[in-house]
Amino acid sequence: MKKSGRPGKNDENRACKDAILKATTSLIEEIGADAVTIRKVIEKADVSTGTFYHYFADKNDLMMAFIREESFDGFALQTPIHDVAGRQTELYMHLINRYQALGKDFMKRFYTTDNQALSAYLDEEDGHFADGTIMARSEKELELSAAQGCLSASADLHLIAMDVCTIVKGCVFEWCLTKEYVEIPETLSRILRHYFTSLMADCEVV
């Protein structure tokens, strides 16, 4: 049983970080991601500047935390395992929906090679994706499909997961760069279905 009284240091740290993320989410909803500043977040969260920089390096790091706030391991996918392209599309739309919540104008500046927080998240280390990332979940889903015989036995699942991530990046860049409305789910699904055509085993796809 947890003792009453002053919360432990870990509890305090979690509470401070949660307050910052909650303030960030609220500000994004109120004024849009472009108008969010570190000063506004600090004021709304009622934390010190030092406390903010203890958890986040800059605004990009903060926004990356907003994107990652929703766990990519904490939800079930509805698309059948044998519909590999559809299942990957459904998974990545959880991430893309977070991008879209930030707004296209903000994402044009956020989704760049200069954004170290984003680059670190979408990269791999020592040939593995970091736990809790969407790429790690993507590879796990591919493993499930392979175990059911839906992917070629010779398929390199880690490489496929990397390719899927690259395709997603392209769709997001297209959404950011074009002035016309882009239906990301339809575009992503179409490209992934073409990509997986040569990788599928004798498994019914709907």
Side-chain angles (χ1 to χ4, degrees):
M1 179 180 292
K2 184 178 178 180
K3 294 181 179 179
S4 60
R6 182 178 176 83
K9 191 171 183 61
N10 288 339
D11 293 327
E12 290 180 320
N13 287 343
R14 183 68 252 181
C16 286
K17 191 170 184 178
D18 284 347
I20 293 171
L21 287 172
K22 183 177 179 180
T24 301
T25 300
S26 179
L27 285 169
I28 289 172
E29 293 173 350
E30 292 171 10
I31 60 178
D34 262 351
V36 172
T37 64
I38 291 174
R39 179 176 294 278
K40 288 178 181 177
V41 171
I42 288 171
E43 291 176 351
K44 193 170 188 68
D46 193 24
V47 298
S48 69
T49 301
T51 296
F52 176 90
Y53 284 108
H54 175 74
Y55 297 108
F56 305 102
D58 50 29
K59 182 178 174 179
N60 281 340
D61 193 26
L62 173 64
M63 292 303 173
M64 196 68 240
F66 165 79
I67 290 169
R68 294 190 65 176
E69 189 178 13
E70 178 182 338
S71 170
F72 295 111
D73 288 325
F75 54 82
L77 297 176
Q78 303 303 310
T79 306
I81 290 177
H82 58 257
D83 184 359
V84 182
R87 199 167 174 87
Q88 291 288 316
T89 299
E90 181 188 348
L91 170 62
Y92 267 96
M93 282 310 301
H94 283 269
L95 173 65
I96 292 170
N97 287 337
R98 300 294 277 179
Y99 287 160
Q100 292 180 316
L102 295 172
K104 182 183 286 190
D105 289 339
F106 174 80
M107 284 301 297
K108 287 178 181 179
R109 288 178 286 279
F110 181 78
Y111 216 75
T112 70
T113 55
D114 293 332
N115 186 342
Q116 295 182 358
L118 180 63
S119 296
Y121 176 75
L122 294 176
D123 204 353
E124 58 176 346
E125 185 174 346
D126 297 328
H128 296 88
F129 300 121
D131 291 340
T133 63
I134 196 164
M135 293 81 65
R137 174 72 186 269
S138 171
E139 188 169 3
K140 289 178 184 176
E141 294 299 331
L142 292 171
E143 290 170 354
L144 290 174
S145 296
Q148 300 240 342
C150 296
L151 289 170
S152 170
S154 61
D156 184 332
L157 301 183
H158 184 72
L159 180 60
I160 293 172
M162 291 177 64
D163 287 348
V164 170
C165 184
T166 298
I167 291 170
V168 171
K169 291 175 188 176
C171 289
V172 173
F173 270 119
E174 177 70 13
W175 171 66
C176 287
L177 295 176
T178 185
K179 292 182 180 179
E180 298 179 2
Y181 184 72
V182 175
E183 289 281 1
I184 296 182
E186 288 78 1
T187 302
L188 180 58
S189 176
R190 172 172 50 80
I191 295 173
L192 286 180
R193 288 188 186 283
H194 282 297
Y195 172 80
F196 277 106
T197 298
S198 63
L199 298 170
M200 301 302 295
D202 294 330
C203 182
E204 180 184 1
V205 178
V206 295

